[in-house]
Structure formats: C-alpha cells, structure tokens
C-alpha cells in the first residue's frame, strides 16, 4: 500500500441509489454517508446502468417507479450481466404490495424497502445485503 493512500475501511460499502426523486436520493445519500459508506446517485435506469458499469458498486438501491426504464427493467438488465449478477439489488417503493415484492424477486432483487425509509432501515439493509469480497 502506498503511504499516501488511506486504509480502506472494510465496513465501507459502495452504494448506488437509483431514484427519480431528488428528495429520496438526497435522504439516502445523507443516511448512507453518516453510516460511513461511499454513495453514488442515479436519477433513472439509463443513468444507473452507466454508473454500475463505471463504478462497480457493492450494493444497489433501486426505485421501482421511474420514467423511461423502471426499476424492474433496470434490475433485470443488471442481473443479466455476468459481471454484476452478484451485486445485491434492493427495490425501493412507496407501495408495500405482495405483487410488487414478488415481481422484484422475479427480476433478481434480494430485498424490498418501503419508502419513506428511516436511516436505521437503510443502514440495516446495507449491513444485511452488502456484497461480500
């Protein structure tokens, strides 16, 4: 390790938050940074796909209802790519329906978090689902 590099915190997780709501993105960013994590933000599925490719996140929070490419489509595309198939995806939605949760599982998501979420719920989801090195 070079002397000018900070040691990497093994508990720090690189998290991508995909949501078309600026409020949700900012809330998640604040909560995750307070938890000591690195945060990337994307406002829709297309933006997210380029960020996943460029930054190789350890965990992804993905809103379901977004314009252009919804969360189910975004998750399915990420999971179909062998390089990212192991990255846990947690769906975010304001709906808490059984159908939505089942559909999320069908496209490969690991979990489902209902909005609005608390800081504790978000950080607990990261601790539970982060990709192991």
């Amino acid at each position: 390790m070079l002397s000018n590099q900070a040691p990497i915190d093994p508990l720090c997780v690189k998290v991508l938050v995909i949501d078309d709501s600026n409020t949700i993105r900012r809330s998640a960013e604040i909560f995750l940074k307070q938890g000591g994590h690195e945060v990337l933000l994307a406002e829709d599925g297309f933006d997210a796909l380029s960020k996943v490719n460029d930054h190789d996140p350890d965990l992804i929070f993905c809103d379901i209802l977004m314009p252009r490419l919804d969360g189910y489509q975004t998750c399915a595309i990420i999971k179909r790519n062998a390089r990212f198939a192991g990255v846990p995806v947690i769906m975010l939605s304001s709906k808490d329906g059984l159908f939505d949760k089942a559909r999320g599982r069908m496209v490969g998501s690991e979990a489902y978090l209902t909005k609005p979420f608390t800081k504790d719920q978000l950080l607990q989801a990261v601790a539970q689902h982060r990709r192991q090195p």
Side-chain angles (χ1 to χ4, degrees), residues 22 31 62 70 102 120:
N22 189 45
F31 293 159
C62 184
D70 74 21
D120 287 344

Side-chain angles (χ1 to χ4, degrees), residues 49 52-53 74-87:
L49 294 175
V52 166
N53 195 49
T74 303
C75 180
I77 291 167
I78 291 166
K79 292 295 187 173
R80 265 184 281 189
N81 183 319
R83 185 173 150 207
F84 305 114
V87 178

Side-chain angles (χ1 to χ4, degrees), residues 63-109:
D63 184 25
I64 291 174
L65 297 173
M66 296 184 290
R68 301 194 309 154
L69 199 61
D70 74 21
Y72 297 122
Q73 294 166 314
T74 303
C75 180
I77 291 167
I78 291 166
K79 292 295 187 173
R80 265 184 281 189
N81 183 319
R83 185 173 150 207
F84 305 114
V87 178
V89 176
I90 298 173
M91 304 308 279
L92 297 175
S93 179
S94 48
K95 296 191 291 184
D96 194 16
L98 194 61
F99 174 78
D100 296 305
K101 291 180 181 179
R103 190 166 171 208
R105 293 257 188 233
M106 286 170 55
V107 294
S109 73

